[in-house]
Structures are given as C-alpha cells and as structure tokens.
Amino acid sequence: PNFTEVTYAGTMDDCSMDFKYTASVGRSDDITRGIYKLKLKVNEDVDFSDFVVFQAAAATYHFTTSRTLAWGNEEGLKEEWKATTGGESRYITAKQVAEGRVPWFSFTDGRFCTEHQESRFLPANRGIVIREWKSRINGKDHTPPWFAEYTTTSGNHGGPSSLINIIPPEGCTSFQAGDYIEAEIVLFITPKYAEDYYGPNKNLHTALETKANTWELTFREAIGNDLEVECSEGQLLDSYPIKVETDKSKAQFTVSGGCGYVPLILTRVKDYRIPRLYRKVDGSWQIVDQSVHGNDFWQAEFEAASGTWDITYNLNLDTPGDERQIAEFRFDLE
C-alpha cells in the first residue's frame, strides 16, 4: 500500500476522557516512518499520579535499548547524554519543556536487550519528531509538550531499556473538563551503520557516510520533512503527510522541502480510474509515473459519505545534497 491508516478509539471506563489515535506508514525506499495522530478529550475532571502522551518504546515491551539520547529542535542539538538502564522503573532526567517549533528526540548506539536477538538481527536507531501539537491543559491553551528519560526494568517482554516519555508539564497531576491534546508524532527507524542499509536511496547512503549512529540523522529527518505546502487550486488540509481537497477533482500546489518519499492524499476525487499527477520539470509538466505493473503506484479509497474517492501517491522529494527546493505538482482526471 502507498499509505496505511488504522484508527483506534475509545473512552475511559468512567467516561472521563475520550481518546483516538491513527497509525500510518507510507511507502518508502530509505527508512520506515510511523505517523501517529493523537487526540485526547477530557470530559470530566480527572486526577493521576503519572500520565504519558507518547512513549518509545513501551514500558513493558522492549527488546532494544539505546546507549545515547539527545534532543533538539529546528535550530539543532540542545542536549545529548548517556542513557541510564537498570534498577527500578523511574524517571531519570528532570522533566523539561520541549522548546521549539519542531522538537525531536534521538536514540543512538542501539543494541538488543538479550543475546537471542543479537544473534538473529542487526540493531538499529530511532528518532521521534513532534510535527504538530495543540493542547489545553488545566484550562491553559497552547501548553507545549514536556519530556523526560524513563528507565524500565527487565521482565517477560525484554530487558532493561531507556525510553523518552512525552508528558504534561512538571507538577501536572490532573486534567480539567474541557482540556484536550492533539498531536502528530513521527517515529522512524534509521540504520545504525552505513553498511547496514542495502536500499537504493542515494541521499540516505550519502547521509550515512558522515551521520551514521549520531543525532544528526534525526535532525536531518526533522528539518527535511518540515514541509511548506501552498495550494493555488484546491484546499490544503494537512502538510505532513500532504493532504489536499481537490476542487472539481483538480488541484495544483507547491511543496518546499522533503526527505525521501512523502505520502500525498487527494480527496473528493469523482473517479478513481484515470487519475493523473504531474510535476513541473524545467518549466514543463511531466506526468509522474512510478509504475512497475501498470497502475500500481497509487491507491484509491472510496468515501461513502461524499460518494468520492481519496487518491494517494508517494512523492519522491529528495534533492541533490538534501538542499531545500520547491517542487510544483498538478492533479486532474484528464
């Protein structure tokens, strides 16, 4: 598939909070990116001793760990430190605000928690980017995300590991009715060493030559896919992944930035059989054709409520030297 999408939703037993999160993965040839859209709505006042919005990996299910952690934002690295593992499950670092427009977190020098995995697989590294964050916490709008390192104990599902928890502010032990958190967080996996990657993506090969097993790969992803999208025809619904509502099944837009393949979803398309996506190259429109066996490079999903289709592509936005450039696209059914 070009872009998977699974939504989980529910409510707490006492109906104090509703939650909804959508997990997606796009087609790529460099690294795996999991895109998570989270929504939490507080219906009644609720107290808690600890609350985690997002965690990587899980406190009770972890077969890998990382020796080095780091965080930063669109300006670069803010802090790097050695991870702590072992002992009782607890917070290691002080809770602090994730400043900036594009906070990111890097897990490097990855290893497996058990010898069984070491003998079967190659360890990899991880990165997290907070692409969007909207919230009201204890009645205060625009409360930013906070974070802290958390260490886990060994158990039935892996050994001791060090995690990064995305959490409410320091000292927050309750939510008020009317509070909410809406976020988009991207979790991705990067090769630990250059020789571990056997794919065809030239830009990733080049980046691994100097950035392998460092926080710089996470920073590259954070700023590379910090997209600016402008529509001259159609309406922009989301910048990452790119989602555009067509106007009479037509759209035209520009994208600034991009790293690897980026999903593009075009909505309210009246027919699924003859979609045409064009990219402007050297002043002329060229049809985007990634086919191997006919129409196998885009997918269609019927929206019963509107009687229209969502058409999904994956745009290759890599550029020479990872230089930020503007790409222009046009879509229609002719």
Side-chain angles (χ1 to χ4, degrees), residues 233 245-251 268-270 331-333:
E233 188 170 12
E245 181 180 303
T246 64
D247 182 5
K248 298 178 181 178
S249 299
K250 294 184 178 182
R268 303 190 72 83
V269 180
K270 66 180 181 181
F331 173 84
D332 59 36
L333 295 179

Side-chain angles (χ1 to χ4, degrees), residues 3 72 93 153 155 166 173 181 188 227 234 259 272 319:
F3 189 64
T93 63
T153 59
I166 308 300
T173 57
I181 296 175
F188 47 91
L227 306 182
C259 185
Y272 69 93
T319 57

